[in-house]
Amino acid sequence: MRTGNGTTLLLLFPCICSIVLIIPCQRTVKAQSLPPAKYDGFLYTNHPVDSDTIMIEAFFDPVCPDSRDSWPPLKQAIHHYGSHVSLIVHLLPLPYHDYAFASSRALQIVNLLNPSATFRLLDSFFEHQERFYNAQTSNKSRDAVVNEIAEFTAETVGKSYYSAIVSGFKDSKTDLKTRVSFKYSTSRGVFGTPTFYINGFVLPDSGSSIDYKGWRSFIDPLLA
């Protein structure tokens, strides 16, 4: 509903309580930066892509256990099929993982600094993600955890990057890139991780890991 002073009034009525959000129209439009200059996501494969290439898209949260468990069999499948498939990884930092956004932002920062280290950092987050779970960080301040993530990132990609990583967390551009990734994921109807698409079609059982045999069962018929 539009009010007389140019603001938009949204009334949301959940089952028990109501929430009133007043959103200034002009500020909403100004803050919107979509579409981005480049397609969202991190390209895992570096071979040429043509109309016969099977395109796989994975939506991950760096501190999601199910995302972690789904990553090794997906990599195994990608290596098995070689140039027949291409993989793009999108980030969806889930709001109930307290430091999913900061972890995703670290990946965006590293991808700007040294794209060849992006998936090395993703591997490291998956291997040590318990450090950044809600319970393990509940008694720490946000600044302390972000500093820990910056140090962890530098340990993974190279300590010479530490100052650039810290600067990246202060750069509004990396914050915006992380938000754009979140918005892109939700625009595709993704609300949980991991979620997978093959050639633009979502696979069943969103939020569940797929093992290597599962990937073979999806992809083999497409190459037959």
Side-chain angles (χ1 to χ4, degrees), residues 40-56:
D40 179 76
F42 308 132
L43 183 64
Y44 183 75
T45 48
N46 58 5
H47 51 72
V49 176
D50 58 32
S51 59
D52 293 325
T53 304
I54 295 172
M55 178 62 68
I56 300 174

Side-chain angles (χ1 to χ4, degrees), residues 55-59 90 92 184-208 210 215 218 222:
M55 178 62 68
I56 300 174
E57 293 177 273
F59 294 80
H90 304 281
L92 176 60
Y184 174 78
S185 298
T186 57
S187 75
R188 295 286 299 275
V190 178
F191 55 86
T193 59
T195 295
F196 304 102
Y197 282 72
I198 293 182
N199 290 341
F201 284 78
V202 66
L203 298 186
D205 299 324
S206 174
S208 300
I210 300 175
W215 283 111
F218 285 119
L222 303 180

Side-chain angles (χ1 to χ4, degrees), residues 3 6 18 23-24 51 53 66 68 88 94 99 118 122 130 137 145 150 152 166 172 192 198 205 207 212 218-219:
T3 63
S18 62
I23 306 174
S51 59
T53 304
D66 292 319
R68 174 198 62 200
I88 295 179
L94 298 173
Y99 290 97
T118 303
L122 181 63
E130 292 88 353
T137 58
V145 178
F152 173 83
V166 172
S172 61
I198 293 182
D205 299 324
Y212 177 67
F218 285 119
I219 298 175

Side-chain angles (χ1 to χ4, degrees), residues 157-192:
V157 304
K159 293 184 178 179
S160 61
Y161 287 103
Y162 176 71
S163 61
I165 293 167
V166 172
S167 297
F169 273 106
K170 299 176 182 178
D171 187 347
S172 61
K173 292 180 181 179
T174 65
D175 177 82
L176 180 60
K177 286 182 71 68
T178 311
R179 292 172 186 266
V180 167
S181 291
F182 177 86
K183 292 179 181 180
Y184 174 78
S185 298
T186 57
S187 75
R188 295 286 299 275
V190 178
F191 55 86

Side-chain angles (χ1 to χ4, degrees), residues 77-93:
I78 295 298
H79 293 155
H80 171 76
Y81 291 108
S83 61
H84 294 291
V85 300
S86 183
L87 170 65
I88 295 179
V89 172
H90 304 281
L91 298 177
L92 176 60

